Amino acid sequence: QAKIGTLFVSGNLLTAEVLSVQKLSVEGMLANVGVVPSGDLSTWPAIGKPQKVAELLASVRDGDAKQQNGLPSKVEEGSVAGDDKTLKFRMVTPIAVQRPDKLKEQEGITELRRITTVKAQLIPGGKTMIVWASALEQDWNKGSKDTLQSAADSFAVTET
């Protein structure tokens, strides 16, 4: 059985497009934010309201990021959808920029943001498998969105 943690990471270093898969303990995820897990945790609705669960997953991802610079991700308004076993959403993560004037000069923008599409599937044993597919906002808007969204949508847990 796979260990809990990051199972797979792939990306294009030239464009900063990244796709990763994680396996997490639902109880551990809840306990890390001070929630005492109890009762039925076998469906997303039993765990919590979809928006709140998406926000929890986003904060877990922020905690995993090595260089988040203290800037929290936000779940994109209206993006949360799912059913008992699958939860999907998009999140936006601001990236600290040391020299916005240079960024404006070189790229024509003054801020950097990462867009991430997320698909989380509950699996037996109180675990979840999550695919995170992301790109810088300017690349997301220039075509990465369709590719990364398709990759995330195709993700399915067939065995655990």
Side-chain angles (χ1 to χ4, degrees):
Q1 187 172 11
K3 292 173 115 178
I4 294 177
T6 301
L7 304 177
F8 174 82
V9 177
S10 180
N12 181 337
L13 297 179
L14 186 62
T15 61
E17 295 167 310
V18 178
L19 186 136
S20 65
V21 177
Q22 283 185 304
K23 183 178 184 181
L24 299 175
S25 160
V26 173
E27 284 188 10
M29 185 173 62
L30 293 170
N32 284 343
V33 294
V35 175
V36 178
S38 63
D40 177 23
L41 301 176
S42 65
T43 67
W44 289 120
I47 294 166
K49 293 181 180 179
Q51 180 72 29
K52 291 296 183 189
V53 174
E55 290 168 1
L56 173 60
L57 290 169
S59 74
V60 167
R61 185 66 169 178
D62 285 346
D64 289 341
K66 299 291 185 230
Q67 295 181 327
Q68 67 172 337
N69 298 308
L71 303 171
S73 298
K74 299 260 190 254
V75 173
E76 196 173 275
E77 190 75 29
S79 72
V80 181
D83 56 32
D84 282 355
K85 299 291 185 185
T86 302
L87 184 68
K88 296 180 184 183
F89 63 95
R90 274 184 311 280
M91 60 190 230
V92 179
T93 308
I95 300 170
V97 176
Q98 299 299 318
R99 297 282 313 266
D101 56 325
K102 291 289 185 191
L103 184 62
K104 175 77 169 172
E105 181 181 305
Q106 294 172 357
E107 302 288 331
I109 55 177
T110 57
E111 66 180 4
L112 289 176
R113 302 181 335 154
R114 175 168 289 284
I115 309 295
T116 305
T117 189
V118 183
K119 182 177 179 183
Q121 290 186 274
L122 287 172
I123 57 175
K127 309 288 188 281
T128 181
M129 294 279 271
I130 309 167
V131 63
W132 312 89
S134 67
L136 293 175
E137 184 175 36
Q138 59 270 33
D139 296 324
W140 182 269
N141 293 333
K142 289 180 186 170
S144 295
K145 173 185 176 181
D146 293 337
T147 303
L148 292 169
Q149 188 67 58
S150 180
D153 287 344
S154 72
F155 175 75
V157 178
T158 55
E159 289 184 34
T160 58

